[in-house]
Amino acid sequence: MAFLEIRNIQKVFDQQTALRDVSLQIEKGELISILGPSGCGKTTLLRIIAGLETPTSGSVCIGGKDCTTLPPAKRNFGIVFQSYALFPHMTVEQNILFGLNEQKGLSRQERLARCHEVLEMVGLWEHRKKYPAQMSGGQQQRTALARAISLKPSYLLLDEPLSALDAKVRAKLRAEIRHIQRQLGITTIMVTHDQEEALTMADRIVVMNNAVVEQVGTPQEIYHHPKTAFVANFIGTMNLYRREDGTYGVRPESISISKQKQTQEMENWQGKITQVEFRGPLTRVYGQLDNQEPICVDVASEKAISLCLHPEDEIYFHIPKAGIIRYPAQEVV
């Protein structure tokens, strides 16, 4: 039996459907990322799991128990918000002890020991006497995480936890949160619109769009085998082409380029280069096919240099037939 089961959840706000027949099973100890564009329903789903919203229909079961109407205070979860939600007049230590002090079954010594433990876990013991305004955004988010896990919740909810941080801090904190989550073995559900965040952190990704779940799978499954054109286009970069018999997709890294036609098991599409964009180890080459459709290709920068690529150069784009994914004709990208 799954630890957390969402069954046929519907949520309607003033005639507008926020969630449409959403079902999901989450195993104990998993880190699940709910990923999708703004307005797709992911935050509403998280709020229903937390008990902050009641579904119009459907049920939420936690540990085999129907918790659909159970209030948040009785669900035993920790939550970390994008805005940190720390008490500004309290030190790091006091912020963490605030919740622990409500645990009447713990002695003062046990509360202090637990506070010390989580501060060490998130690397903030030396900063325990600082106030939120004296810390960086990353340190504030670590404090919020420490406060959430200090109560030993059954599961952890992360609502866009890293979106307010700069890129380097975000990447570092991603790895730290994942390490702590594995160390504790705590079931975690993270809402994000950042595909890189989902791909690097999650055991499985739930891709949502327009109030429905488009696909659930491991990061590798979602990236290499997207089931819909929306997922293909939303996760990573995908060249998508509409034809009468369907929509076709191919990843930029699956395409090779040369100035001569190849006779191997490949599609040879002729066109010209419109832009060359250096990205460190990779160079992204933008082009236009002879039928005026755009295309982009990722090639090793050493290869790009050896080919002496420039805008307006005539070029062949070689697409392996095995790398082309076909979607139904009626699907809208």
Side-chain angles (χ1 to χ4, degrees):
M1 179 189 297
F3 169 71
L4 197 154
E5 190 170 3
I6 296 157
R7 300 174 182 163
N8 309 110
I9 290 290
Q10 301 264 3
K11 182 63 179 178
V12 179
F13 294 103
D14 299 324
Q15 308 303 314
Q16 183 175 354
T17 301
L19 294 171
R20 184 181 296 111
D21 197 27
V22 171
S23 295
L24 182 64
Q25 291 189 333
I26 300 171
E27 301 299 329
K28 194 166 184 62
E30 271 193 302
L31 193 158
I32 295 290
S33 177
I34 303 175
L35 176 68
S38 297
C40 70
K42 57 187 186 294
T43 298
T44 300
L45 180 57
L46 190 81
R47 288 176 61 81
I48 286 173
I49 293 170
L52 298 169
E53 295 280 358
T54 302
T56 305
S57 62
S59 62
V60 176
C61 292
I62 302 169
K65 178 183 177 184
D66 190 332
C67 298
T68 312
T69 58
L70 205 65
K74 296 190 175 180
R75 296 198 185 199
N76 190 26
F77 65 89
I79 190 163
V80 179
F81 298 101
Q82 174 185 347
S83 60
Y84 319 135
L86 301 176
F87 296 114
H89 61 288
M90 293 184 183
T91 64
V92 170
E93 189 174 48
Q94 289 169 338
N95 264 280
I96 295 168
L97 283 170
F98 182 83
L100 286 168
N101 287 337
E102 299 298 312
Q103 305 298 300
K104 303 305 181 185
L106 297 177
S107 68
R108 183 174 184 277
Q109 188 175 357
E110 286 172 327
R111 295 195 298 270
L112 290 172
R114 182 59 179 164
C115 181
H116 188 163
E117 181 186 356
V118 295
L119 282 170
E120 290 282 11
M121 195 177 290
V122 299
L124 286 179
W125 175 248
E126 293 181 358
H127 302 277
R128 66 191 182 280
K129 299 300 182 184
K130 289 183 179 179
Y131 290 91
Q134 297 172 312
M135 298 189 299
S136 68
Q139 289 171 330
Q140 290 182 56
Q141 194 59 291
R142 284 188 185 93
T143 303
L145 177 63
R147 183 177 60 183
I149 62 177
S150 67
L151 300 175
K152 296 186 176 180
S154 296
Y155 59 102
L156 183 63
L157 303 177
L158 306 176
D159 188 9
E160 302 272 9
L162 307 177
S163 60
L165 305 173
D166 65 52
K168 280 194 174 180
V169 175
R170 204 160 57 235
K172 187 172 189 296
L173 211 49
R174 277 202 306 254
E176 290 179 7
I177 290 173
R178 184 57 164 142
H179 174 73
I180 291 168
Q181 185 268 334
R182 282 177 169 154
Q183 184 180 347
L184 295 174
I186 186 170
T187 307
T188 302
I189 303 161
M190 177 180 72
V191 161
T192 183
H193 65 271
D194 186 323
Q195 53 177 274
E196 187 174 321
E197 201 170 285
L199 288 169
T200 56
M201 293 179 69
D203 292 307
R204 288 189 299 147
I205 298 172
V206 179
V207 184
M208 293 189 66
N209 184 39
N210 291 331
V212 301
V213 172
E214 293 260 345
Q215 185 174 353
V216 180
T218 66
Q220 293 81 7
E221 288 168 344
I222 295 288
Y223 186 83
H224 293 296
H225 307 288
K227 289 184 176 178
T228 68
F230 171 81
V231 175
N233 199 38
F234 190 75
I235 305 293
T237 301
M238 181 71 85
N239 293 291
L240 287 167
Y241 304 103
R242 283 200 183 102
R243 299 290 184 267
E244 288 185 6
D245 61 339
T247 297
Y248 292 84
V250 59
R251 295 285 187 197
E253 67 270 21
S254 297
I255 304 171
S256 60
I257 56 175
S258 71
K259 295 188 177 180
Q260 294 83 34
K261 190 173 183 178
Q262 293 187 3
T263 56
Q264 300 172 340
E265 286 296 307
M266 294 205 177
E267 296 275 351
N268 288 278
W269 298 353
Q270 197 166 2
K272 68 177 181 179
I273 295 171
T274 57
Q275 184 181 347
V276 179
E277 189 174 85
F278 176 70
R279 298 188 173 191
L282 288 177
T283 292
R284 176 157 289 183
V285 179
Y286 293 92
Q288 187 177 61
L289 301 177
D290 284 350
N291 63 4
Q292 305 304 307
E293 288 185 321
I295 189 170
C296 71
V297 183
D298 287 337
V299 296
S301 289
E302 286 186 6
K303 173 75 170 177
I305 291 169
S306 69
L307 286 171
C308 297
L309 303 175
H310 302 285
E312 301 301 322
D313 283 356
E314 297 292 329
I315 202 86
Y316 282 98
F317 299 91
H318 310 297
I319 296 92
K321 292 177 181 177
I324 299 174
I325 305 171
R326 181 181 175 275
Y327 299 103
Q330 67 271 21
E331 191 173 340
V332 177
V333 179

